[in-house]
Amino acid sequence: MMKSVILSVCFTAAAASAASLTGNWLIAIPNGDGTVQRTYLNLKQQDGRITGTIRWTLHLFTIDRSSGGPGGFTISGGMPILGTERRKTYRGKLAGNELQLKEILATGPGPTLIARRVPAGEGALPPRIPPPPLRPVRWNGLARTPPMGWNSWNKFANRVDDATVRQIADAMARNGMREAGYVYVTIDDTWAGERDARGEIHPNRKFPDMKALADYVHSRGLKLGIYSSPGPVTCEGYEGSYGHEQQDANTYAAWGIDFLKYDWCGAFMIYKDSEMQAVYQKMGEALLASGRPIVYSICQYGVGEVWKWGADAGGNLWRTGGDIRDTWESMSRIGFSQYPLAPFARPGHWNDPDMLEIGNGGMTDTEYRTHMSLWSMLAAPLIAGNDVRNMTPSIREIVLNREVIAIDQDPAGRQGKRAWQSGMREVWTRELAGGDTALAVFNRAPQDARVTFRWADAGLVNPPSRIRDVWRHTDGKAAGPEYSADVPGHGVVMLRVR
Ligand code: GLA
């Protein structure tokens, strides 16, 4: 009896000694803007296994595979997100008071990382705050037509800063974008700094004075948007609004913010997917209570059929899926799959298939014309994602095509639908205010094609008396019950007919 007590005391002492991996470890990597990316490894070494968690940006991985010990070990943790498992794996060893680690990436081992011991509890998740009971949020009266503007993420990612936003605003005020309706200039992830003792959020070094920036953007006749998360951290691991929703909404209002993109991210660590509506409702109510008109952009990748409850949560727009990339494959897969969501779009509340990639270089001008046409048929928000300071004439022409924009911004706010399909050829129609119909003939195949369809197949009872080609800017008349269009590979012919 006595002997076993002594033995267990010895084991506990050994586990806590410097030669054990057990403990709370921090990898701290400066982001270059005064903030630090923190990865916490909370490890327990026992019975020949290493267990615990790895907390990194929006992830809390549970370590479920391990081998080795202080002289050399491997740990791997997983976390289910959006139906797939994400995983993080490190190989490392104990060296004095530090862990020397390399992350094992798909491309091989990454650079050496140093983790140092920090007190137990540091980096622990904050306690769970129960979401409010569901109740519909009053419409803020904004976004009667799909919001238009620019967002930093697609082109600049974490390189966005105050000077860039000012230059973008200058460009949009000069190059015709503002007059065409692109008014929201939104700073996406990586602007946030730390909270002060009162819990007030401050921007990081890249944004020295958010109020002054808002004043500047407003002086250019534009509006300023910002980004946060309902979780403790954003997708890039920056401070989120968890537990500070009303305080942050009030801060945004005081700065003069006009648009909030609210990205689920770190909320994955706290809430279940089924709690999203209540969690989004909380910020929807906070924005209303702030007293400033702020467009509310819900971003949770389309989980839980958000189109059915996004408006009740106060959302003016809601992302319908994952992140777009600047490829034909990504853009066309997202865009052409939106047709079942048409019934949910209406003035004030829009399906958001994600921001535009037009001008970012990964697609041809023909493909970008399809991107612009498809998004306009979908009554989608038109949020440019390129460097609008430098646009080629052809990109500028695509982004600024007033006839296409007029279809996107049609006041009836009815989202278009696929009306006819034959293989890779599709005709989409959208009913416009005043009786016109927008009609887009898409050729999703890579080769050029002559597409012939009957007006009746596109839902038009009579052949139209007026056919306006909104890309060629030409007028014509129907020659009979059929219509033929020569459509380039991955291209579109877009018409406004009466
Ligand atoms: C998510 C969003 C993106 C962007 C990034 C920023 O992936 O879907 O649009 O905001 O986060 O971290």
Side-chain angles (χ1 to χ4, degrees):
M1 177 64 185
M2 191 59 181
K3 203 170 166 188
S4 83
V5 169
I6 291 170
L7 262 180
S8 83
V9 167
C10 291
F11 264 116
T12 316
S17 85
S20 168
L21 299 172
T22 297
N24 196 19
W25 303 88
L26 169 65
I27 305 168
I29 302 174
N31 283 318
D33 52 21
T35 64
V36 175
Q37 190 191 87
R38 295 187 172 86
T39 306
Y40 288 95
L41 290 78
N42 202 302
L43 307 182
K44 186 166 177 195
Q45 186 197 337
Q46 198 178 33
D47 304 333
R49 288 176 64 212
I50 306 160
T51 54
T53 57
I54 302 167
R55 182 178 167 191
W56 169 70
T57 62
L58 58 87
H59 304 88
L60 185 66
F61 301 102
T62 302
I63 299 171
D64 53 3
R65 298 175 200 165
S66 72
S67 63
F73 66 88
T74 302
I75 51 174
S76 181
M79 176 182 186
I81 287 190
L82 304 176
T84 59
E85 198 207 40
R86 300 207 185 166
R87 187 156 277 285
K88 207 166 184 64
T89 304
Y90 291 103
R91 193 177 299 153
K93 64 172 190 233
L94 186 67
N97 281 331
E98 298 173 343
L99 296 183
Q100 282 176 9
L101 302 155
K102 279 183 196 290
E103 184 175 352
I104 307 306
L105 305 158
T107 47
T112 300
L113 303 165
I114 301 296
R116 52 183 183 79
R117 272 188 200 277
V118 291
E122 187 183 316
L125 276 186
R128 179 189 151 86
I129 304 168
L134 290 180
R135 53 193 169 234
V137 179
R138 177 169 57 79
W139 178 38
N140 56 15
L142 301 172
R144 285 175 189 273
T145 60
M148 293 176 65
W150 176 88
N151 173 296
S152 58
W153 186 254
N154 285 358
K155 174 71 187 179
F156 295 93
N158 55 6
R159 297 179 312 281
V160 63
D161 61 9
D162 178 279
T164 307
V165 173
R166 285 173 193 247
Q167 289 164 16
I168 294 284
D170 288 344
M172 289 169 72
R174 260 198 328 255
N175 66 13
M177 287 185 78
R178 180 185 64 195
E179 283 67 32
Y182 294 91
V183 293
Y184 291 100
V185 179
T186 296
I187 308 163
D188 205 281
D189 203 352
T190 78
W191 65 266
E194 310 282 326
R195 292 188 186 277
D196 63 22
R198 287 172 303 131
E200 300 279 341
I201 187 76
H202 293 274
N204 62 45
R205 274 204 313 247
K206 295 190 297 178
F207 292 91
D209 185 342
M210 207 52 104
K211 167 112 181 54
L213 179 57
D215 289 346
Y216 186 87
V217 170
H218 294 154
S219 77
R220 294 294 179 273
L222 299 163
K223 295 174 182 294
L224 186 63
I226 212 164
Y227 166 100
S228 189
S229 170
V233 289
T234 68
C235 283
E236 289 291 296
Y238 286 65
E239 188 72 19
S241 292
Y242 183 70
H244 295 272
E245 293 81 2
Q246 189 62 60
Q247 193 175 20
D248 285 358
N250 294 346
T251 301
Y252 303 154
W255 285 343
I257 297 294
D258 308 291
F259 182 110
L260 172 67
K261 174 173 168 184
Y262 206 42
D263 194 352
W264 190 249
C265 300
F268 274 122
M269 295 187 285
I270 309 264
Y271 293 116
K272 297 198 285 275
D273 291 359
S274 57
E275 294 171 311
M276 284 181 172
Q277 178 178 349
V279 172
Y280 274 98
Q281 170 194 310
K282 192 170 189 182
M283 183 53 98
E285 289 175 337
L287 292 175
L288 274 187
S290 80
R292 186 174 172 89
I294 299 177
V295 171
Y296 188 28
S297 164
I298 293 178
C299 175
Q300 42 76 283
Y301 338 113
V303 173
E305 301 185 303
V306 59
W307 39 88
K308 294 191 174 159
W309 53 261
D312 278 344
N316 296 110
L317 58 159
W318 46 80
R319 278 269 300 276
T320 57
D323 291 11
I324 194 169
R325 282 174 303 111
D326 186 18
T327 63
W328 165 258
E329 191 281 322
S330 167
M331 182 280 289
S332 63
R333 182 175 37 77
I334 293 173
F336 287 109
S337 64
Q338 302 293 309
Y339 61 91
L341 307 186
F344 303 99
R346 57 199 187 275
H349 310 286
W350 307 101
N351 293 307
D352 173 12
D354 206 356
M355 304 169 290
L356 301 173
E357 289 283 10
I358 299 168
N360 279 334
M363 289 181 252
T364 64
D365 288 352
T366 298
E367 292 168 338
Y368 285 140
R369 234 168 266 128
T370 298
H371 190 358
M372 183 77 184
S373 305
L374 187 48
W375 261 236
S376 297
M377 293 301 288
L378 294 170
L382 297 179
I383 310 291
N386 59 323
D387 187 348
V388 298
R389 298 171 303 184
N390 309 296
M391 287 192 278
T392 63
S394 59
I395 292 300
R396 185 187 300 229
E397 219 175 279
I398 295 169
V399 171
L400 289 177
N401 184 322
R402 293 291 194 104
E403 295 191 60
V404 176
I405 292 173
I407 291 170
D408 179 77
Q409 294 289 302
D410 183 77
R414 283 189 286 259
Q415 179 171 329
K417 288 178 236 174
R418 179 187 291 144
W420 176 88
Q421 182 173 23
S422 166
M424 304 287 269
R425 300 148 192 211
E426 302 191 8
V427 174
W428 287 57
T429 57
R430 179 171 173 193
E431 290 170 41
L432 304 176
D436 285 7
T437 301
L439 197 146
V441 187
F442 295 105
N443 172 14
R444 295 176 65 176
Q447 318 80 19
D448 300 353
R450 186 166 184 84
V451 183
T452 301
F453 63 95
R454 288 150 39 98
W455 294 109
D457 292 333
L460 279 96
V461 189
N462 298 310
S465 58
R466 178 179 178 237
I467 302 175
R468 174 76 181 169
D469 185 317
V470 296
W471 283 112
R472 292 203 188 94
H473 307 294
T474 54
D475 292 305
K477 276 209 288 287
E482 285 193 343
Y483 185 78
S484 291
D486 290 310
V487 192
H490 291 178
V492 64
V493 167
M494 193 168 176
L495 311 172
R496 183 180 186 119
V497 304
R498 168 156 304 190

